[in-house]
Amino acid sequence: MKNLVRSVTLAAVVFAAPAIAGGTHPSASADLINKDGTSIGVAHLSQGPSGVLIYVKVSGLEPGKHGLHLHSHGECDPGTGFKSAKGHVGKVEGAHGLMNPKGPEPGDLPNIFVGADGIGEMEAFSTLVSVKGGAHGLLDADGSTFIIHEAADDHISQPIGGAGGRVACGILKVK
């Protein structure tokens, strides 16, 4: 069953690629690194007519759920514990969380699930950001990053849903 789920997710990304290749839909990607600066995965974003399709695959993380967020600054310095990525895209004080009545913030995403083999994969869709342009364009002047946290995001606690420290980071770049 596990391989079937991965195949379906990958198929969705492959079938989305021809629409992107036509140049009408901007896309971006990020090489995700751990605190040692080692590449552990990749994230792909594809702009659609009403939001952004997000695909993330990682390896080498602890099994379980991990918080995943879009951060407002395109810098991944392991020496700062990835705090160089600053706060969430569209940060609103007290509004963090997909289940928060005041939220969610545009940078809030569902958790990524990592299996016993250390491999995690997820696909999500967000109407709160765009690849380019708009109030929450991810490829703006200071860029954006993906941050993966050490624990699950409970989608309501402040400020980051109890997700703990930052264990991986990836700078978004035009694909």
Side-chain angles (χ1 to χ4, degrees):
M1 182 67 170
K2 186 175 181 182
N3 288 337
L4 177 62
V5 172
R6 286 191 181 153
S7 296
V8 171
T9 302
L10 288 173
V13 172
V14 170
F15 286 122
I20 297 161
T24 58
H25 300 285
S27 60
S29 62
D31 179 35
L32 300 166
I33 61 170
N34 64 16
K35 288 185 176 183
D36 295 328
T38 303
S39 178
I40 63 162
V42 66
H44 296 287
L45 287 83
S46 303
Q47 182 68 52
S50 62
V52 176
L53 182 63
I54 301 165
Y55 169 76
V56 179
K57 184 172 183 179
V58 295
S59 62
L61 290 179
E62 290 293 318
K65 293 191 279 187
H66 295 268
L68 178 67
H69 303 118
L70 290 164
H71 282 244
S72 67
H73 193 69
E75 187 176 327
C76 289
D77 180 1
T80 67
F82 300 128
K83 293 194 186 289
S84 58
K86 299 188 180 178
H88 292 182
V89 168
K91 175 107 177 105
V92 176
E93 196 62 41
H96 168 77
L98 297 174
M99 302 303 288
N100 188 327
K102 296 178 185 176
E105 297 172 328
D108 292 340
L109 295 171
N111 289 312
I112 186 168
F113 293 81
V114 176
D117 60 0
I119 296 173
E121 189 171 22
M122 62 93 69
E123 188 174 58
F125 187 80
S126 176
T127 60
L128 301 176
V129 295
S130 66
V131 173
K132 292 183 179 179
H136 302 294
L138 299 172
L139 296 176
D140 60 5
D142 62 357
S144 299
T145 53
F146 272 97
I147 293 288
I148 299 176
H149 291 269
E150 64 187 348
D153 184 337
D154 68 13
H155 302 296
I156 200 158
S157 298
Q158 302 302 307
I160 59 166
R166 301 171 184 195
V167 296
C169 183
I171 301 169
L172 284 167
K173 298 178 181 180
V174 175
K175 194 164 135 184

